[in-house]
Amino acid sequence: MDGLKVYRKLRQNETNRISDNQCPGSFHDEIGVLSCVTDTLQALHDDLRRWDNITPLMISLTEEMLAQDPVDRPSVRNVWFRIGQALRNKRPERQTYENNQIVTHNMKILNINSKENAQSQLPFLGVDEAVSFASSKKKERKPLKDDGPLKSLKDRDFIFLVEDGYRIRPHWDEVRKVLHALAYFVKGYDKNGLDMYRMIDMEKVHAHASGVLLASLLTAHSGDVDINMCLTKILGEYGSKVDAKRNSLFSLSKRPKPLVVYVLTTGEWDCNDDAKTPIKDLIDSLNNAHCPNKHVGIQFIHFGNSEDGWNRLVQLDDDLKLSRDIVDAEKFDGGNFFKMLVGSINDRFDANGERLVRKEQQSSKSS
């Protein structure tokens, strides 16, 4: 408790130095987050115990709630759900002495929302419905039943990385349809236009209209792809921008614009399948710059029937064990198009939880 009193005193002292300040002890000044607040969060991060899986989430949530613009802050419901989800995934323990022995007890946790309830309440948009919506004329188009998830796309840049080697050739028509729909839904949120790379040559195509992107995706090629090289180019360039800004005065306006990278792929990469390293390097840059938890998202969309390819994407989504979760994976076949759009930046569409629910539903039906 003494530490909390010191923290409040530091904030009060710093805000008292602000002219015409009406909120002593607040968290922001006229430029951004108070330096004592960012220093305290960094100190908490540096003092983490190796087995502590809860505090990192609390730090990330706090950083998000400190966004300068209230619109960018997570809702109370979102924070409540994410904390409950973290506690269910890592049940805290307490130890007592009984009969001269240490006994470990699992502590009961309030079930804020069961995973089944949370996932069943997710808005769903089928891929065919999304493609039809994007391709139809405005006069003939019926409004979506729930476009709430699209709010997560606000004020972001978008990059498409499209596998175009021989493995994805049988699914090329589906790839083009999904790309067209994705580009259609996100283009209104990025006034600077959309960027797309084909994995074989990694030449950038920049456009404001999805039709321009499609025109450069007429055919797949015969070669294989190097996912390490592709992600290193895209994520490395963005990470360099983050690194260049991190020594600037702490302010959201000083950071590069938030980003979503959509990767359309089979998940089968023969040349160099190390996708983890460029993702880890970017996370290091984001952490050093104290960027919000969902500042960047990497969304893998799987095509084809390769279980190895799909398992590789699931591993990137669930098993990287890095300090922040910026990766999500979803299958084209039977997938939720809303999840393809925002799964990597919206915790409501958490892939791990949704897959767990699917497995539980399948097992209950079989039994």
Side-chain angles (χ1 to χ4, degrees), residues 44-56:
L44 290 172
H45 186 274
D46 293 342
D47 291 338
L48 287 174
R49 295 180 175 89
R50 287 179 296 176
W51 56 84
D52 187 350
N53 294 321
I54 300 298
T55 305

Side-chain angles (χ1 to χ4, degrees), residues 279 282-283 286 293-294 296-298 324-328 344:
I279 294 173
L282 175 61
I283 288 177
L286 296 173
N293 189 41
K294 296 297 183 180
V296 174
I298 304 171
R324 61 173 72 198
D325 180 12
I326 64 173
V327 177
D328 187 60
S344 62

Side-chain angles (χ1 to χ4, degrees), residues 201-219:
D201 56 27
M202 285 302 290
E203 291 185 6
K204 182 168 73 172
V205 177
H206 181 78
H208 287 81
S210 56
V212 177
L213 301 182
L214 284 177
S216 64
L217 287 178
L218 296 179
T219 59

Side-chain angles (χ1 to χ4, degrees), residues 252-269:
L252 290 180
S253 62
K254 296 292 184 179
R255 298 176 181 140
K257 193 175 177 183
L259 173 70
V260 180
V261 181
Y262 297 103
V263 185
L264 285 66
T265 181
T266 62
E268 297 184 279
W269 313 307

Side-chain angles (χ1 to χ4, degrees), residues 117-331:
N117 289 337
Q119 296 298 331
S120 65
Q121 295 172 2
L122 287 179
F124 183 88
L125 180 63
V127 175
D128 290 340
E129 183 182 356
V131 171
S132 176
F133 184 91
S135 303
S136 61
K137 297 180 180 180
K138 289 185 178 180
K139 294 181 180 181
E140 303 173 354
R141 187 178 301 150
K142 296 181 180 180
L144 297 174
K145 295 180 180 179
D146 188 348
D147 61 356
L150 302 182
K151 296 178 181 178
S152 300
L153 302 171
K154 181 183 176 183
D155 296 328
R156 289 182 177 269
D157 284 330
F158 304 97
I159 296 177
F160 298 95
L161 177 59
V162 183
E163 180 180 334
D164 59 336
Y166 74 96
R167 292 184 181 276
I168 207 166
R169 186 181 296 169
H171 317 287
W172 196 241
D173 289 342
E174 289 83 0
V175 170
R176 296 182 80 249
K177 289 179 181 178
V178 171
L179 174 75
H180 173 245
L182 289 170
Y184 176 84
F185 276 89
V186 305
K187 65 181 181 181
Y189 297 95
D190 189 353
K191 297 180 180 179
N192 298 325
L194 309 174
D195 292 333
M196 184 187 74
Y197 295 86
R198 297 173 62 130
M199 289 190 186
I200 294 292
D201 56 27
M202 285 302 290
E203 291 185 6
K204 182 168 73 172
V205 177
H206 181 78
H208 287 81
S210 56
V212 177
L213 301 182
L214 284 177
S216 64
L217 287 178
L218 296 179
T219 59
H221 297 293
S222 58
D224 192 22
V225 298
D226 185 333
I227 191 64
N228 178 272
M229 180 270 293
C230 296
L231 290 179
T232 297
K233 176 177 177 59
I234 294 174
L235 303 184
E237 288 180 358
Y238 189 85
S240 296
K241 295 178 182 178
V242 174
D243 292 337
K245 299 290 186 180
R246 70 183 179 188
N247 293 324
S248 302
L249 190 61
F250 189 94
S251 173
L252 290 180
S253 62
K254 296 292 184 179
R255 298 176 181 140
K257 193 175 177 183
L259 173 70
V260 180
V261 181
Y262 297 103
V263 185
L264 285 66
T265 181
T266 62
E268 297 184 279
W269 313 307
D270 289 334
C271 290
N272 187 343
D273 64 358
D274 177 19
K276 178 179 179 178
T277 298
I279 294 173
K280 179 182 181 301
D281 290 344
L282 175 61
I283 288 177
D284 289 342
S285 295
L286 296 173
N287 287 340
N288 291 334
H290 304 288
C291 292
N293 189 41
K294 296 297 183 180
H295 196 74
V296 174
I298 304 171
Q299 181 69 48
F300 289 94
I301 302 172
H302 179 256
F303 294 83
N305 301 316
S306 170
E307 286 299 319
D308 289 341
W310 172 241
N311 289 336
R312 185 174 288 118
L313 301 184
V314 171
Q315 186 176 25
L316 290 172
D317 184 1
D318 297 342
D319 300 329
L320 289 186
K321 294 180 174 59
L322 300 177
S323 57
R324 61 173 72 198
D325 180 12
I326 64 173
V327 177
D328 187 60
E330 180 72 340
K331 284 190 175 184

